[in-house]
Amino acid sequence: MVLAWYMDDAPGDPQQPHRPDPDRPVGLEQLRRLGVLYWKLDADKYENDPELEKIRRERNYSWMDIITICKDKLPNYEEKIKMFYEEHLHLDDEIRYILDGSGYFDVRDKEDKWIRIFMEKGDMITLPAGIYHRFTVDEKNYAKAMRLFVGEPVWTAYNRPADHFEARGQYMKFLAQTA
Ligand code: KMT
Ligand code: NI
């Protein structure tokens, strides 16, 4: 099961869980209503996995690469970590499959509250185009992820506010329909 919760408002290190007490869990169904899709796969066989191939084929996730997020492997680590954690949106879906390590994807709900999604080895997620989100590794400082795209990659992140984009308008429409 995916582990997700409403974040607490405590200041401090974003790489800590920020999981409130008492817990405020968020389920798959609620994520789905935000357009966030989730799969659990066997990351040990990502190089030859019929389940992964099926998802990629059905959803046209044709392009992929692998990024390792840790101090020693990622050039400009500190700068990139900071960038990933700026609230932003993309004009295409953000599709990530965690092959090793772990991290947090934070997404805004309909009331603009932060939902934190804990992603570890074997977790695959699609964040829809136009959703405001951010990413950080957790306190272990290590994540290896497959990045997938429908066709050619579109990397640009638009920091909030970015409400004038067509993709944002489309996403708001989607949210209104699933209310
Ligand atoms: C992004 O766009 O936020 C990222 O690529 C985060 C790193 S992938 C786990
Ligand atoms: Ni992003």
Side-chain angles (χ1 to χ4, degrees):
M1 255 310 282
V2 69
L3 211 50
W5 56 86
Y6 277 103
M7 283 182 81
D8 67 25
D9 298 320
D13 187 353
Q15 293 181 225
Q16 288 175 0
H18 289 273
R19 190 170 175 174
D21 183 18
D23 201 13
R24 296 194 288 150
V26 174
L28 268 190
E29 179 54 33
Q30 191 178 343
L31 292 178
R32 222 172 43 84
R33 284 196 297 270
L34 296 175
V36 174
L37 306 178
Y38 171 84
W39 298 268
K40 184 82 188 181
L41 296 170
D42 180 356
D44 285 327
K45 56 180 201 187
Y46 77 90
E47 284 169 301
N48 183 13
D49 180 4
E51 266 191 87
L52 174 62
E53 287 316 309
K54 183 163 180 277
I55 295 165
R56 291 187 63 186
R57 194 168 53 244
E58 288 178 353
R59 302 188 59 84
N60 296 315
Y61 295 166
S62 53
W63 191 95
M64 74 95 158
D65 75 355
I66 291 170
I67 182 173
T68 302
I69 304 168
C70 68
K71 275 196 184 76
D72 299 338
K73 296 232 168 99
L74 189 67
N76 307 315
Y77 175 82
E78 302 291 346
E79 188 187 315
K80 280 190 185 134
I81 283 292
K82 212 181 271 173
M83 266 181 49
F84 290 152
Y85 203 66
E86 292 282 332
E87 180 174 5
H88 64 271
L89 60 74
H90 308 281
L91 306 187
D92 282 13
D93 293 355
E94 178 165 318
I95 309 149
R96 300 288 186 270
Y97 176 20
I98 306 297
L99 302 177
D100 201 9
S102 47
Y104 300 117
F105 285 89
D106 299 337
V107 298
R108 291 284 192 186
D109 81 348
K110 286 177 197 179
E111 275 103 50
D112 225 23
K113 298 198 170 69
W114 282 118
I115 294 172
R116 172 151 278 195
I117 306 167
F118 176 62
M119 294 279 294
E120 61 184 343
K121 185 174 177 179
D123 293 332
M124 181 170 171
I125 201 169
T126 291
L127 309 182
I131 194 174
Y132 283 121
H133 66 278
R134 63 190 181 191
F135 172 83
T136 183
V137 286
D138 60 22
E139 288 160 293
K140 292 180 186 153
N141 287 297
Y142 172 62
K144 180 179 171 186
M146 186 184 291
R147 306 186 289 189
L148 300 113
F149 280 94
V150 177
E152 285 309 296
V154 178
W155 297 110
T156 311
Y158 298 97
N159 288 348
R160 192 169 184 174
D163 295 331
H164 58 290
F165 287 105
E166 170 76 12
R168 180 66 187 168
Q170 289 289 330
Y171 179 65
M172 296 298 281
K173 227 188 261 173
F174 167 83
L175 277 190
Q177 281 164 1
T178 61

